[in-house]
Amino acid sequence: MFFKAQRIKTTKLLLILLVLSLLAACGGQTEQAETEEFASEITIFNWDEDLPPEIFDQFAEEYGVTVNLVVYESSDEADERLRAGE
């Protein structure tokens, strides 16, 4: 009986420590997210005539970023430019 009670106490203690560790690990992320800065410029790779350019203008205005639009006219061109690192 003594060993069973001891095992239950040990299991409860381990579960409490696990929960506290998980809570502590999650707690630091909110502080980091509040101080994180985002890019002021983004590049969007898109097919020719896939989406109207006005969408990108609206996105830039709404989020306060500069949008660089790179347009591909064919799969071959997209593959070449992506492999070249553009």
Side-chain angles (χ1 to χ4, degrees):
M1 184 79 173
F2 173 75
F3 293 112
K4 185 177 181 181
Q6 186 66 25
R7 189 174 20 183
I8 291 172
K9 286 181 182 179
T10 303
T11 303
K12 286 181 180 179
L13 179 62
L14 288 173
L15 285 173
I16 290 170
L17 289 174
L18 176 64
V19 168
L20 289 175
S21 297
L22 291 172
L23 289 174
C26 294
Q29 291 178 347
T30 56
E31 294 173 15
Q32 184 179 16
E34 291 173 3
T35 60
E36 187 175 338
E37 292 185 24
F38 296 100
S40 61
E41 183 175 338
I42 61 171
T43 302
I44 297 177
F45 300 93
N46 194 33
W47 297 104
D48 189 32
E49 299 180 10
D50 189 33
L51 294 170
E54 296 82 27
I55 289 178
F56 303 111
D57 296 336
Q58 291 171 356
F59 181 88
E61 185 177 326
E62 183 172 340
Y63 293 100
V65 296
T66 302
V67 176
N68 300 318
L69 180 59
V70 177
V71 178
Y72 300 123
E73 294 185 15
S74 70
S75 296
D76 292 335
E77 181 185 359
D79 188 45
E80 289 174 17
R81 293 180 81 175
L82 289 172
R83 288 181 192 271
E86 292 183 26

